[in-house]
Amino acid sequence: MKRKWFEKFLAAFIAVTCVTGLAACGSAETANSTNMAQSDAVQTEASQTAADTVDSGELNLYGYEDPITLKVGLAFNSDFEWQGDESVDNNTWYNLYKENGINLDIMYNVDGSQQETKRTTAIASGNYPDIMAVSGSDLIKYAQTGVIADITEVYEKYASDQLREYQAWGDGNSLNAAKVDGKLYGIPQVNDYRGDAMMMFIRQDWLDNLNLEIPTTMEELKAVAKAFTEQDPDGNGVDDTYGLALNGKEGFNYWSGIQAFFEGYGAAPGYWNGQFTFIEKDGKVVWGGSLAEEMKAGLADLQEMYANGSLAKNFGTMDYNQITQDVGAGRCGIYFAPRWGAMVPVVDAVKANPEARIVSAKIPEGMGEGSSKPYIPTTPGTYFVISSKCKNPEALIKLCNLSVDKLCYYEDETEYDMYTGKGGVYSGWKACLVQLTSQGEAVENIDEEHEAIKTGNKEGLTQSQLIDVTNMEAYTTAVKDGTLIEKLKAEDPDVLAGIGMWTVSGDDLGGGITMVDLIKDNNYNYSVYNYIPTETMSSKFSTLDKLALETIVKIISGDSVDSYDTFLQSWEALGGTEVTREAQEWYDQNH
């Protein structure tokens, strides 16, 4: 029997991917959130009829005696690199599938930014992925149009005990969110979404250089951002820095998403899981972007920052890749992301300046004390589905069984490294077709790692925690003995991993520590609509979400703040009133 390891790796590795699937883009998602790069497997061309049983006569829950072949479409972001000797068709996950009679025929391999367009085009052509990671809105749309298969029976027949336990985590209602007309159409990625709350990341070394404090209000944030732009915070004598980065191109994204700024005012105009952000306000269900006073206050502040140069002039076209590069290169001083948000750029930042320190704090208050409330969805942001054209619909369940087995119930340190990842050796979970990552015990996991770093006592740590702590110690030891630069040049995998993990659970101001504080305070804007989107929500979401983002970008860039009132009228007329009414009706019936 394998030991159950539910205190896992999410915090340590999620920073390098978007949401889900065989991609690395830096949730995402999921989701959500994704945004977010995913892996796609397209129409199955079975080499022969799949066998359902193993030699013992028992049902084979993990593969096939007579191999099948799945065409796959891959999408990786530009910052993804295969580790060690691995490659697209020679890595631990690819080989695991092959060993279990699931062969992969790679149909295409595109940049993560092209993935959604590639998939949409494929579906329109009729030759589309077998295995897809989709949002709740897409799940309903694809179920109703016959794009994806009803998996009710194959789930009951093939789901392993481990997969069932994974799906039962939390309130146990995740599978209900994947049902359309009572039939199961997807396998949700289940997470503790409180751990994905947005927070502020800021260059502590820049603050120190300018004798400034971490901002706790938006007025203070504006002042700090202006200083970062005008007062040469890195001391290089060159006018090459700016204060705040916002992801205007990808919008309501997990990486410096615009929505995070407004969460400081208590609003919630969007999220990366492709669903409306319905929250409670004065006893009623409202869309989080319909709070005119809060939204306009945030827009006025951002407009001011744009005008004085504290916000990048090209923020409207900035995406994950550019912002990551700017943070890593020491051009940007403030951005928003979940707890793992500093893991990727901090490595380049430290390479450029060994004194670089990126720390976190909750999003500053914009409307007075208590107004900062990160938005948290309460339903899964990502669902794995299978094409209705697939000859082997049970293949989805078998892939999920393998995913949970290796990512949540790994046998030992070797297996953990192989399937989760180890720098310079294994690419890990980024190569997994259906990423059912461990939900984790977020607070306990971070607390225990942080305590181990402070005391040096590693007794009782899980294997994943021990690896995190060991890597962080490799980094701090290199700093103390003066070998950091040497080890950075040598690309020491333990030190590189330790630098990133330090920004999560090592530093007293790490993202994980801020996450723990947020969870303990429980000061969130929770989603109050906790079910799959209605048909109206699915059909209206894309148009209304796009309209909201475009309006916000235009106002920040100079349009009248009062034009937001006109936008809200349009939003309501184009379907916003209807979808809010449906959310209210569901809420009234279930509370």
Side-chain angles (χ1 to χ4, degrees):
M1 292 292 291
K2 291 192 174 185
R3 178 178 177 184
K4 178 181 176 183
W5 293 106
F6 262 73
E7 293 80 11
K8 274 287 281 108
F9 65 87
L10 182 60
F13 295 96
I14 196 168
V16 293
T17 79
C18 260
V19 181
T20 52
L22 186 47
C25 62
S27 306
E29 238 5 35
T30 256
N32 124 127
S33 347
T34 208
N35 344 49
M36 304 204 180
Q38 313 166 357
S39 77
D40 287 343
V42 277
Q43 184 171 339
T44 303
E45 294 182 355
S47 58
Q48 51 190 311
T49 302
D52 289 338
T53 58
V54 293
D55 291 340
S56 64
E58 295 179 355
L59 201 63
N60 186 343
L61 303 182
Y62 300 93
Y64 300 89
E65 278 191 320
D66 297 329
I68 66 169
T69 298
L70 299 177
K71 288 183 179 179
V72 297
L74 310 181
F76 297 94
N77 247 30
S78 57
D79 62 353
F80 172 76
E81 295 182 1
W82 291 103
Q83 299 298 300
D85 296 328
E86 293 195 334
S87 65
V88 68
D89 57 358
N90 180 26
N91 58 76
T92 53
W93 284 98
Y94 184 98
N95 296 335
L96 176 68
Y97 298 141
K98 188 173 183 179
E99 291 167 6
N100 283 276
I102 302 173
N103 296 321
L104 304 182
D105 179 9
I106 300 171
M107 181 174 133
Y108 61 80
N109 187 353
V110 300
D111 184 86
S113 62
Q114 304 172 32
Q115 193 275 337
E116 186 174 353
T117 299
K118 190 75 173 180
R119 187 181 68 198
T120 301
T121 302
I123 290 175
S125 73
N127 181 25
Y128 54 89
D130 268 343
I131 308 296
M132 298 182 285
V134 303
S135 67
S137 297
D138 282 342
L139 180 138
I140 293 178
K141 177 174 65 177
Y142 294 152
Q144 293 176 336
T145 55
V147 172
I148 59 178
D150 171 5
I151 60 170
T152 307
E153 293 184 4
V154 292
Y155 180 81
E156 289 303 317
K157 183 175 182 179
Y158 289 96
S160 67
D161 290 342
Q162 293 172 344
L163 178 59
R164 294 176 194 274
E165 182 172 0
Y166 174 90
Q167 291 298 326
W169 187 83
D171 61 13
N173 289 322
S174 296
L175 281 178
N176 288 332
K179 292 180 179 178
V180 179
D181 297 328
K183 297 178 181 179
L184 184 65
Y185 280 91
I187 302 298
Q189 185 184 59
V190 184
N191 285 316
D192 183 350
Y193 291 99
R194 297 176 304 169
D196 291 341
M198 298 290 277
M199 61 188 68
M200 176 180 67
F201 285 89
I202 189 166
R203 284 289 294 262
Q204 180 65 52
D205 53 316
W206 288 11
L207 290 171
D208 294 340
N209 291 343
L210 300 179
N211 294 314
L212 297 172
E213 300 292 330
I214 294 176
T216 60
T217 68
M218 285 300 182
E219 285 300 314
E220 292 173 353
L221 183 147
K222 289 191 296 180
V224 169
K226 194 170 188 292
F228 280 0
T229 304
E230 299 175 351
Q231 297 181 25
D232 191 23
D234 57 1
N236 67 353
V238 180
D239 182 13
D240 59 355
T241 60
Y242 65 93
L244 176 67
L246 288 181
N247 191 330
K249 181 177 181 179
E250 295 165 333
F252 305 131
N253 194 266
Y254 70 99
W255 186 268
S256 209
I258 286 180
Q259 80 282 357
F261 190 85
F262 297 99
E263 289 173 4
Y265 300 77
Y271 195 71
W272 59 83
N273 64 350
Q275 297 184 33
F276 288 104
T277 47
F278 292 117
I279 62 174
E280 185 273 332
K281 181 70 172 180
D282 298 328
K284 295 292 184 180
V285 174
V286 299
W287 170 55
S290 68
L291 306 182
E293 180 182 0
E294 292 85 344
M295 288 295 299
K296 290 166 69 173
L299 286 166
D301 284 341
L302 284 175
Q303 191 178 81
E304 177 185 342
M305 296 174 71
Y306 179 81
N308 66 29
S310 300
L311 179 64
K313 290 298 183 184
N314 63 333
F315 85 95
T317 59
M318 293 182 75
D319 59 10
Y320 162 79
N321 289 325
Q322 184 171 348
I323 295 173
T324 302
Q325 291 170 8
D326 279 4
V327 174
R331 290 188 287 268
C332 166
I334 309 170
Y335 62 100
F336 302 103
R339 70 185 186 275
W340 34 260
M343 290 185 70
V344 172
V346 74
V347 174
D348 285 337
V350 172
K351 285 181 178 179
N353 176 10
E355 301 298 320
R357 182 185 176 199
I358 302 177
V359 301
S360 72
K362 75 173 186 177
I363 300 171
E365 312 275 7
M367 301 288 284
E369 186 175 354
S371 66
S372 180
K373 293 186 176 183
Y375 171 81
I376 297 296
T378 48
T379 53
T382 299
Y383 302 82
F384 294 100
V385 298
I386 192 161
S387 166
S388 58
K389 296 185 177 184
C390 180
K391 298 177 183 178
N392 300 93
E394 76 286 344
L396 172 62
I397 312 304
K398 295 186 178 188
L399 290 172
C400 290
N401 290 340
L402 286 170
S403 178
V404 171
D405 182 61
K406 299 302 183 185
L407 295 179
C408 300
Y409 290 84
Y410 55 87
E411 185 71 50
D412 51 28
E413 180 178 353
T414 298
E415 189 168 273
Y416 173 87
D417 288 344
M418 289 175 62
Y419 296 103
T420 299
K422 182 175 183 179
V425 185
Y426 300 114
S427 307
W429 68 287
K430 296 179 286 293
C432 179
L433 285 176
V434 287
Q435 296 168 357
L436 299 184
T437 55
S438 172
Q439 304 93 341
E441 297 295 337
V443 174
E444 292 83 354
N445 204 37
I446 296 298
D447 277 344
E448 290 167 7
E449 289 187 9
H450 191 63
E451 183 66 18
I453 284 292
K454 290 169 62 177
T455 65
N457 182 6
K458 304 176 188 177
E459 185 177 354
L461 295 181
T462 67
Q463 187 63 46
S464 60
Q465 291 172 329
L466 183 60
I467 291 172
D468 289 342
V469 171
T470 301
N471 288 337
M472 287 189 282
E473 288 179 337
Y475 162 56
T476 56
T477 298
V479 172
K480 292 175 182 177
D481 64 20
T483 61
L484 178 60
I485 295 177
E486 175 186 337
K487 291 186 176 180
L488 287 174
K489 290 181 179 179
E491 298 287 328
D492 185 297
D494 294 334
V495 171
L496 293 177
I499 294 173
M501 199 62 214
W502 184 261
T503 67
V504 179
S505 59
D507 197 314
D508 287 339
L509 297 176
I513 308 305
T514 298
M515 175 206 70
V516 169
D517 290 340
L518 287 170
I519 290 176
K520 289 179 178 177
D521 292 343
N522 198 34
N523 191 35
Y524 298 106
N525 255 331
Y526 285 104
S527 170
V528 294
Y529 181 80
N530 306 323
Y531 194 56
I532 55 176
T534 65
E535 183 176 351
T536 305
M537 292 176 190
S538 296
S539 64
K540 300 294 185 181
F541 175 78
S542 180
T543 298
L544 295 179
D545 190 65
K546 180 180 179 182
L547 179 62
L549 177 61
E550 290 176 346
T551 300
I552 290 170
V553 170
K554 287 179 180 178
I555 292 176
I556 294 172
S557 302
D559 281 5
S560 170
V561 172
D562 288 333
S563 67
Y564 196 78
D565 294 323
T566 304
F567 152 73
L568 285 178
Q569 294 174 0
S570 298
W571 188 89
E572 292 171 354
L574 291 172
T577 297
E578 187 176 1
V579 298
T580 303
R581 176 182 55 77
E582 292 179 347
Q584 182 73 60
E585 290 174 351
W586 181 90
Y587 183 83
D588 291 341
Q589 293 171 3
N590 291 274
H591 289 80

